[in-house]
């Protein structure tokens, strides 16, 4: 039984090189997430606050996004580490929860070594409901695409 359960649990991660500073990107992904639909309109269609304050631990937000089809996701901020430009979110409801028992997203933005810009690290920790469910590689790619669009938006504001 233990073996079967462990094959359903996974971690995937990737990094994206961006031109924005770690602070700007972290601020957009945490404190100004309601601006993300205007930064990435083809992929992110809406962001609505349900509970708490935007950018605060415990706040709950619903996203409308396009990932192969229109989809919805409700998430809660689990932790924020502004000093290290890191934050963790737990998916509570929505399309993802049709395929996963749990889904936790962490990102961290670090400065590039010796040059302007940042490296954005995405980390997904999840448990699939069964073996038929694919690992969320396409969702990781979606995060990369949104990151690039947010970066371009932030750079155009400078």
């Amino acid at each position: 039984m233990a073996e079967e359960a462990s094959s359903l649990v996974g971690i995937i991660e990737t990094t994206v090189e961006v031109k924005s500073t770690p602070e700007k990107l972290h601020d957009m992904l945490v404190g100004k997430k309601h601006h993300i639909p205007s930064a990435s309109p083809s992929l992110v269609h809406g962001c609505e606050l349900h509970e708490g304050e935007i950018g605060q631990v415990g706040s709950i937000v619903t996203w409308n996004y396009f990932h192969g089809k229109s989809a919805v996701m409700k998430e809660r901020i689990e932790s924020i580490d502004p000093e290290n430009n890191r934050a963790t979110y737990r998916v509570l409801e929505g399309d993802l929860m049709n395929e996963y028992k749990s889904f936790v997203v962490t990102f961290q933005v670090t400065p590039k070594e010796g040059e302007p810009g940042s490296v954005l690290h995405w980390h997904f920790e999840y448990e699939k409901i069964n073996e038929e469910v694919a690992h969320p590689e396409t969702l990781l790619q979606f995060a990369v695409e949104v990151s690039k669009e947010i970066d371009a938006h932030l750079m155009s504001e400078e």
Side-chain angles (χ1 to χ4, degrees):
M1 185 64 196
E3 276 184 53
E4 189 180 317
S6 67
S7 66
L8 297 175
V9 173
I11 292 175
I12 58 172
E13 43 198 349
T14 193
T15 56
V16 193
E17 292 199 5
V18 292
K19 294 180 177 78
S20 305
T21 65
E23 296 74 21
K24 266 193 165 174
L25 203 51
H26 181 267
D27 187 44
M28 182 73 151
L29 290 169
V30 176
K32 296 182 178 160
K33 58 174 67 174
H34 50 294
H35 294 296
I36 292 175
S38 55
S40 184
S42 65
L43 299 172
V44 182
H45 301 155
C47 172
E48 187 185 336
L49 180 68
H50 282 279
E51 250 178 63
E53 277 180 64
I54 288 264
Q56 299 299 312
V57 170
S59 62
I60 297 177
V61 166
T62 297
W63 294 95
N64 294 301
Y65 61 100
F66 188 83
H67 177 242
K69 63 180 173 73
S70 290
V72 178
M73 174 176 67
K74 188 185 267 190
E75 67 174 24
R76 179 180 60 229
I77 297 181
E78 298 279 289
S79 68
I80 302 172
D81 178 356
E83 203 173 295
N84 293 301
N85 294 302
R86 181 176 31 222
T88 300
Y89 302 87
R90 177 175 298 279
V91 178
L92 303 174
E93 297 174 15
D95 293 272
L96 266 183
M97 301 320 281
N98 295 331
E99 297 184 315
Y100 300 94
K101 283 184 193 170
S102 67
F103 205 99
V104 177
V105 176
T106 301
F107 74 84
Q108 181 168 13
V109 198
T110 54
K112 272 192 196 166
E113 291 292 321
E115 58 179 306
S118 312
V119 176
L120 174 54
H121 181 216
W122 288 102
H123 176 101
F124 293 176
E125 205 166 318
Y126 55 89
E127 183 178 353
K128 305 186 296 180
I129 57 168
N130 60 43
E131 283 299 333
E132 276 69 75
V133 173
H135 293 282
E137 276 100 356
T138 61
L139 204 62
L140 202 59
Q141 190 53 43
F142 173 85
V144 168
E145 294 306 316
V146 172
S147 304
K148 289 177 179 174
E149 290 190 0
I150 290 170
D151 184 48
H153 177 80
L154 288 171
M155 294 311 292
S156 72
E157 288 183 334
E158 287 192 351

